[in-house]
Amino acid sequence: MKSKALFFSCVFLFLAGYCQAQVAYGAKDTIKVATTNYNGEIIPWVVIGEVTVVDRRTFKSQEDYDKYRRLRYNVLKVLPYARFAGQRYRQLERDLALTNDKRKQKQLIKSCDKEIKDLFNDKIKNLTISQGEILIKLVDRETGNSSYQLVKDLKGNVSAFVVQSVAKIFGHDLRNKYDVDQEMDIEGIIHSAGYYTYQ
């Protein structure tokens, strides 16, 4: 009986030593990280992504909460249009900068205008008045220019005047600029949706 216990003890000790020997570190077990020498001490550091801490928003009343939800819905509905318009406008600016030929520039502007109309004409026509107002603000946010200035630059003074007159009928002003401080709710909604950059 003692010999069996001694045998199992030896086997157990042998297996325990064998398992510890298997914990050796090799080339693939090493994680390379950047280090900093601080007062003779090597300190490893790892870059992590930005973390945004947002407080939970409280509302004074159910009416305020419903108003915010409507605003969030409207912003998220028109945001893709504004982002596409901003990207397309920046692309058009780059294309126009590469040519001095006035005829070629007019063709570029016309093709850009047609592309945007073909993609969004039906969808933008079905926007509500408040969604249209938000779209005007977001286009300014994305491009850095008011909608009036964009139309004026691309189509001329007469077209800008006509479009501004039509917008006024619906209670909009295309000359309004996007102000981050005044539009904190819209800015917060955009950030919560994961869109941080503009211009």
Side-chain angles (χ1 to χ4, degrees), residues 27-78:
K28 295 188 178 188
D29 295 333
T30 304
I31 299 173
K32 294 182 179 180
V33 296
T35 59
T36 301
N37 188 343
Y38 182 73
N39 294 334
E41 184 178 348
I42 304 295
I43 301 172
W45 56 274
V46 178
V47 178
I48 60 172
E50 181 180 336
V51 176
T52 305
V53 178
V54 181
D55 194 9
R56 186 177 186 145
R57 184 166 180 172
T58 56
F59 298 92
K60 293 180 182 177
S61 66
Q62 183 65 35
E63 183 181 335
D64 288 344
Y65 176 66
D66 293 339
K67 186 178 175 183
Y68 177 79
R69 285 184 52 218
R70 267 192 310 278
L71 177 67
R72 180 176 173 78
Y73 172 80
N74 290 337
V75 168
L76 294 179
K77 182 169 184 173
V78 300

Side-chain angles (χ1 to χ4, degrees), residues 108-122:
L108 289 170
I109 291 170
K110 192 173 181 180
S111 68
C112 176
D113 186 44
K114 184 178 183 325
E115 180 182 349
I116 289 174
K117 280 182 181 176
D118 290 345
L119 280 174
F120 299 122
N121 208 13
D122 293 336

Side-chain angles (χ1 to χ4, degrees), residues 62-167:
Q62 183 65 35
E63 183 181 335
D64 288 344
Y65 176 66
D66 293 339
K67 186 178 175 183
Y68 177 79
R69 285 184 52 218
R70 267 192 310 278
L71 177 67
R72 180 176 173 78
Y73 172 80
N74 290 337
V75 168
L76 294 179
K77 182 169 184 173
V78 300
L79 184 61
Y81 307 138
R83 289 186 63 82
F84 177 80
Q87 291 167 357
R88 191 62 184 95
Y89 179 72
R90 286 187 290 276
Q91 179 64 44
L92 179 63
E93 281 184 325
R94 287 191 292 270
D95 294 343
L96 291 174
L98 294 175
T99 182
N100 290 327
D101 184 15
K102 297 290 183 188
R103 187 173 181 202
K104 178 72 173 168
Q105 288 178 346
K106 284 184 180 180
Q107 288 175 345
L108 289 170
I109 291 170
K110 192 173 181 180
S111 68
C112 176
D113 186 44
K114 184 178 183 325
E115 180 182 349
I116 289 174
K117 280 182 181 176
D118 290 345
L119 280 174
F120 299 122
N121 208 13
D122 293 336
K123 294 175 183 174
I124 288 178
K125 281 182 181 177
N126 294 329
L127 294 179
T128 65
I129 291 174
S130 58
Q131 289 170 349
E133 185 177 340
I134 293 168
L135 179 60
I136 291 168
K137 291 176 183 178
L138 293 182
V139 165
D140 179 30
R141 180 186 188 271
E142 290 293 321
T143 62
N145 291 325
S146 67
S147 298
Y148 179 83
Q149 189 64 41
L150 291 175
V151 174
K152 183 179 173 185
D153 290 346
L154 299 176
K155 297 282 209 161
N157 289 331
V158 175
S159 295
F161 175 76
V162 170
V163 173
Q164 172 71 349
S165 300
V166 172

Side-chain angles (χ1 to χ4, degrees), residues 1-14:
M1 191 68 145
K2 287 185 181 182
S3 61
K4 279 187 180 182
L6 183 63
F7 174 75
F8 283 121
S9 297
C10 290
V11 169
F12 178 75
L13 289 175
F14 174 75

